[in-house]
Amino acid sequence: MALAMEISTMAQAMQLHARLLKSGQEDPTHFQNLSKLFTFSALSPSGDLTHARHILTNLRTPNSYYYNTMIRAYSDSPDPARSITLFLSMHCRREEQHGVVVPGPDKFTYPFVLKACSKLRNTQMGKQIHGLILKSGLISDRYVNNALIHMYAGCGDSGLALKVFDEMSERDVVSWTSMIDGFVDNNRPIEAIKLFELMMESGVDPNEATLVSVLRGCADTGALSIGKKVHSFVKEKDLSMKANVGTALIDMYAKCGCIDDARRVFDETMDKDVYAWTAMISGLASHGLSEEAMEHFELMKSCNVKPDERTMTAVLSACRNAGWIGKGLYHIRSMKKYKLRPTIQHYGCIVDTFVRAGQLDEAEQFIRKMMPIDPDVVLWRTLLWGCKVHGDVERSKRLLKDVELLKMDSRDCGSYILLGNVYAATGNWKEKAKMRELMNQRELVKTPGSSRIEIDGNVHEFTAGDSRHVEAEHIYAKLNEMEENVRREGYDPKVSEVLLEIDDDEKASQLLHHSEKLAVSFGLIKTDPGTAIRIVKNLRSCEDCHSFMKLISKLYQREIIIRDRIRYHHFKDGECSCGDRW
DNA sequence: TTAGGGTTAG
């Protein structure tokens, strides 16, 4: 016991360990202490992995617990590759220093090393380890399978993740959650929501993690009614107080256009941390409520919650949406105070603020002279987009020469398309044609715009020019009919009747979604603003949509709210709250 | 042992 009390620092432990090794004595108390110290240094957030590794290296008879714990610690560290290296030494039963034989991997080893593969997005290694698991006979282990799902999804292959999930004989809540989360992370939120529903039908009780994942899926698709159902579930189970679920709810409501509900959840959330505050600030900012967003930021600081990089992005985007250049500059400078280093996103917000205010000179100077880091394609594209909007042909020509956007990221179709548009705006049709040709040569497929809409709890997804939806024929027929009406008579109020008819007969027809046709927006007229927001959320041709909404709000004398990529637009009597900068 | 909240632009 005396010995146990003695060992309280790593140095003492090392010393004693060396002494004991030398004398050949083995004191069980000592090893118990060493094990405790090892676990502490490997697993506590303040732990020192070099110490833990040192202990492991010097053990005479290391058991798999030590190795597994070390692999686990490495997989959570900033350098997960070490986790794989150590795993390989276990796999090869490689002898470490002092002739110590390394234990082989067991069912605890695999989940940790798979996590490292996921973090490194190393599918190849993940697949090889999957092979080893098959050979080892551990493939029926639930934990191992759950980790495999997570690994494949984390590496961007939700198909393989689903294969593992499907082939599992016994699934638990973690299996379901990992798969749901994997779908969300791989931009398949509709499948995520469907799987969640299937999970409920199967009688598996979701936990907080599941709810958080499915709420993220709802936020991505605008699936408000499912989000609301989840919220009721949260209330029933009395989970709403938890900050993680609260944050997911705030984000979901804000992204579905229900800022009041977001505020309500925020007020109910106990122990608001930086995540919850950031979700609220960013939601307010995207709803054009910049003043309130800044008030929340001040309030957050007065509650002793320190902002992080993401909070600052939300704050800067509030400044951007309000057109506050001075404030934006003030806040990006203030980041130093919080020991935060501005990233390209933060600088991007500032450049965008200049661009939106039409201060293209300032924007360019800022990129060239004020930024301590190299600008990326997105930044140059923001400026180029500004040239197009503000008709600064000379600058765009100069930028095209100087910046060589295409070389910076030759796989990014957005640049080609924007450049093509700029050339077209300057009347340079030859160059525009060249862009198209270049895209073809490099075999770039134009990423189509896509949007999703929820009807009666089902989320439908559409891709521009896509005709795979089961009701596609009807939908496109109606779209064409409406488009014809518009073309013939300007705006035709009969359109709303057509829509009502569609609404009664076939629900699917609300899914008027995007093609880059104006007709897209018609579906909003007889639906609530929340639906309107959700439909146009991903619209590409915002300019068309914007002018169309002005027309509709005037004709129908009602308020319409839509959201483009940056903010919400409130149309009243044909005027938009954003000051109509289109 | 495994899963889990907030960011911009396009």
Side-chain angles (χ1 to χ4, degrees), chain A residues 240-511:
Chain A
S240 53
M241 302 306 177
K242 293 271 178 75
N244 55 354
V245 181
T247 304
L249 277 168
I250 293 164
D251 190 48
M252 183 277 293
Y253 277 127
K255 288 195 175 137
C256 289
C258 310
I259 194 69
D260 292 336
D261 293 282
R263 273 198 206 97
R264 224 164 285 140
V265 175
F266 179 74
D267 291 340
E268 287 167 9
T269 304
M270 302 285 279
D271 303 322
K272 300 177 184 67
D273 57 11
V274 66
Y275 288 80
W277 283 101
T278 305
M280 194 63 241
I281 293 170
S282 133
L284 289 166
S286 73
H287 278 258
L289 301 164
S290 298
E291 297 273 4
E292 202 182 332
M294 301 313 285
E295 281 165 20
H296 274 73
F297 181 53
E298 292 307 320
L299 210 57
M300 169 185 142
K301 287 187 287 183
S302 68
C303 295
N304 285 326
V305 178
K306 279 207 182 84
D308 67 8
E309 279 87 356
R310 289 180 177 207
T311 320
M312 296 312 294
T313 310
V315 167
L316 291 177
S317 73
C319 295
R320 184 241 325 266
N321 293 349
W324 297 329
I325 293 174
K327 269 192 192 168
L329 287 170
Y330 167 79
H331 284 292
I332 199 169
R333 280 194 209 109
S334 78
M335 288 176 71
K336 218 177 181 178
K337 208 165 62 190
Y338 310 113
K339 297 198 174 93
L340 300 171
R341 192 177 288 171
T343 64
I344 198 88
Q345 283 98 333
H346 301 104
Y347 291 114
C349 278
I350 300 288
V351 170
D352 213 18
T353 317
F354 279 125
V355 165
R356 278 166 188 272
Q359 300 186 13
L360 301 182
D361 254 339
E362 287 80 354
E364 190 173 346
Q365 287 308 312
F366 186 83
I367 296 180
R368 292 191 191 274
K369 295 192 178 151
M370 309 288 283
M371 274 176 48
I373 50 175
D374 287 337
D376 66 355
V377 203
V378 178
L379 264 191
W380 287 118
R381 213 157 59 186
T382 305
L383 186 55
L384 203 57
W385 175 80
C387 295
K388 185 179 160 263
V389 171
H390 296 282
D392 193 337
V393 177
E394 287 311 310
R395 190 187 308 273
S396 60
K397 278 185 180 165
R398 188 163 48 74
L399 283 176
L400 295 186
K401 267 193 205 152
D402 284 6
V403 180
E404 298 190 73
L405 279 167
L406 295 185
K407 277 190 189 160
M408 288 174 70
D409 185 354
S410 57
R411 302 302 301 169
D412 176 22
C413 345
S415 300
Y416 293 83
I417 291 164
L418 178 59
L419 287 187
N421 289 343
V422 171
Y423 281 127
T426 61
N428 194 339
W429 302 104
K430 247 189 189 170
E431 287 296 323
K432 184 182 158 64
K434 257 193 202 168
M435 283 298 131
R436 177 60 60 186
E437 211 174 287
L438 211 58
M439 279 180 75
N440 290 341
Q441 264 173 22
R442 297 187 183 174
E443 296 181 341
L444 295 180
V445 181
K446 184 181 165 189
T447 316
S450 68
S451 83
R452 301 168 178 127
I453 178 180
E454 174 201 310
I455 295 161
D456 294 341
N458 290 316
V459 178
H460 300 257
E461 185 173 27
F462 289 84
T463 308
D466 178 27
S467 50
R468 280 175 304 178
H469 192 272
V470 281
E471 302 277 4
E473 211 177 305
H474 296 289
I475 294 165
Y476 280 99
K478 288 293 176 196
L479 273 174
N480 290 335
E481 190 182 329
M482 286 157 55
E483 204 189 357
E484 266 309 301
N485 280 340
V486 173
R487 203 170 286 161
R488 215 172 31 237
E489 303 170 36
Y491 173 69
D492 177 6
K494 271 186 243 156
V495 166
S496 60
E497 288 162 30
V498 176
L499 277 171
L500 275 180
E501 176 202 324
I502 297 170
D503 192 32
D504 290 345
D505 294 341
E506 335 153 21
K507 288 289 180 191
S509 56
Q510 279 181 21
L511 319 166

Side-chain angles (χ1 to χ4, degrees), chain A residues 475-476 478-484 486 495 499 509-525 535-536 539 541 544-545 548:
Chain A
I475 294 165
Y476 280 99
K478 288 293 176 196
L479 273 174
N480 290 335
E481 190 182 329
M482 286 157 55
E483 204 189 357
E484 266 309 301
V486 173
V495 166
L499 277 171
S509 56
Q510 279 181 21
L511 319 166
L512 305 173
H513 141 69
H514 55 180
S515 58
E516 284 172 357
K517 296 172 184 176
L518 265 182
V520 174
S521 322
F522 289 81
L524 318 183
I525 309 164
I535 298 174
V536 292
L539 260 179
S541 54
D544 285 349
C545 193
F548 182 73

